[in-house]
Amino acid sequence: MSRTVPVVLVFAGHDPSGGAGLAADIEAVASMGAHAAPVATAVTVQDTRRVQRFEPLPPALVAEQARAVVEDLPVAAVKIGMVGSAANAAAVAAVLADLGDVPVVLDPVLAGGGGGSLAGEEVREALLALLVPRATVLTPNSEEARALAPEADSLEACAQQLLAAGAELVLLTGTHEPTEHVVNRLWGNLRLLERFTWERLPGSYHGSGCTLASAIAGLLAQGLEPFTAIHEAQEYTWEALRAGYRPGRGQHLPNRLFWAFDRGETS
């Protein structure tokens, strides 16, 4: 008997380096045993060093891509990364309204890992108004959290503001903070629920946020409850980073398929 593979509807930009965006999402979702249905929101010009520029796709085209998927495939979870424009955020929100009670993981992508803006003020406001309230899990890094909640005077206050904006859970990642270990904090019910501490790996990585958010979405699609999905996705992401490699002249890329190789081949 064939086993049903759950479907994750993914909204993100295309990164030609393959390190982040849709390429990262597809690999991470597949690694969780789910099927990624990728909807392109933007085309970027970037490499492993930085974003040079990007062009958002027309919102009608974004919506048409998504509705073609929804009308054919049973979507079990949604992952949202780069939306490209405020109009695209509205298009994504309209699709979510039609999907009903499906878990949503929102990675509020505002800049490339190596630098370069991927969102302006209008996009930030659209994320807060239209997509954050729909998020089962919101996964900002500390810089994104401060940008989304600029009036907050601490990361704790940022998390509280994002919960007040409607996110069910906020996993605030600490890779950008000057700490010995990476500390990720999970917030929900207007309080700190859990603190996750990870060994800080050397170097910097392109696509780590995409990897984490997509892994969470893949596990939610499998039916895991959010806390378990969040914990297991962090373990997977850390292993992918530890097995990472540097194919270009910029950041390392996570080896999201580390599990397909012998340990000696990925070290």
Side-chain angles (χ1 to χ4, degrees), residues 238-262:
W238 188 86
E239 291 289 349
L241 296 179
R242 184 171 69 159
Y245 54 100
R246 188 171 182 246
R249 292 178 287 178
Q251 295 180 300
H252 287 69
L253 304 186
N255 185 351
R256 287 171 283 261
L257 303 181
F258 67 88
W259 48 266
F261 299 90
D262 292 332

Side-chain angles (χ1 to χ4, degrees), residues 158-196:
C158 289
Q160 295 285 12
Q161 284 195 21
L162 294 172
L163 290 173
E168 182 177 336
L169 295 166
V170 176
L171 178 64
L172 206 160
T173 61
T175 53
H176 289 77
E177 296 304 290
T179 53
E180 180 181 358
H181 292 84
V182 173
V183 180
N184 300 335
R185 292 176 171 84
L186 179 64
W187 298 81
N189 297 323
L190 298 180
R191 63 187 178 90
L192 178 65
L193 300 178
E194 189 67 57
R195 181 183 288 104
F196 305 93

Side-chain angles (χ1 to χ4, degrees), residues 25-225:
D25 298 328
I26 292 167
E27 290 183 347
V29 168
S31 294
M32 299 302 103
H35 172 79
V39 172
T41 58
V43 175
T44 73
V45 179
Q46 64 178 305
D47 53 23
T48 59
R49 295 173 295 181
R50 65 184 180 89
V51 177
Q52 298 174 37
R53 72 185 197 92
F54 71 91
E55 290 286 344
L57 294 182
L61 182 55
V62 172
E64 286 176 33
Q65 291 177 80
R67 296 194 188 282
V69 172
V70 170
E71 291 171 5
D72 183 43
L73 304 177
V75 173
V78 178
K79 185 266 180 178
I80 305 168
M82 176 188 183
V83 293
S85 69
N88 282 352
V92 172
V95 172
L96 295 181
D98 291 342
L99 277 175
D101 190 22
V102 172
V104 175
V105 181
L106 173 59
D107 177 18
V109 176
L110 302 177
S117 174
L118 291 170
E121 180 62 21
E122 288 186 355
V123 173
R124 188 191 72 82
E125 292 177 356
L127 289 175
L128 281 170
L130 300 174
L131 298 180
V132 169
R134 191 64 176 80
T136 308
V137 184
L138 178 67
T139 63
N141 60 41
S142 55
E143 293 179 353
E144 291 163 342
R146 291 185 178 101
L148 289 170
E151 297 178 358
D153 58 4
S154 68
L155 287 176
E156 176 180 354
C158 289
Q160 295 285 12
Q161 284 195 21
L162 294 172
L163 290 173
E168 182 177 336
L169 295 166
V170 176
L171 178 64
L172 206 160
T173 61
T175 53
H176 289 77
E177 296 304 290
T179 53
E180 180 181 358
H181 292 84
V182 173
V183 180
N184 300 335
R185 292 176 171 84
L186 179 64
W187 298 81
N189 297 323
L190 298 180
R191 63 187 178 90
L192 178 65
L193 300 178
E194 189 67 57
R195 181 183 288 104
F196 305 93
T197 302
W198 303 95
E199 177 188 348
R200 185 176 292 278
L201 299 168
S204 61
Y205 296 85
H206 181 54
S208 56
C210 305
T211 304
L212 175 61
S214 290
I216 295 172
L219 291 169
L220 291 175
Q222 292 284 11
L224 274 68
E225 55 88 20

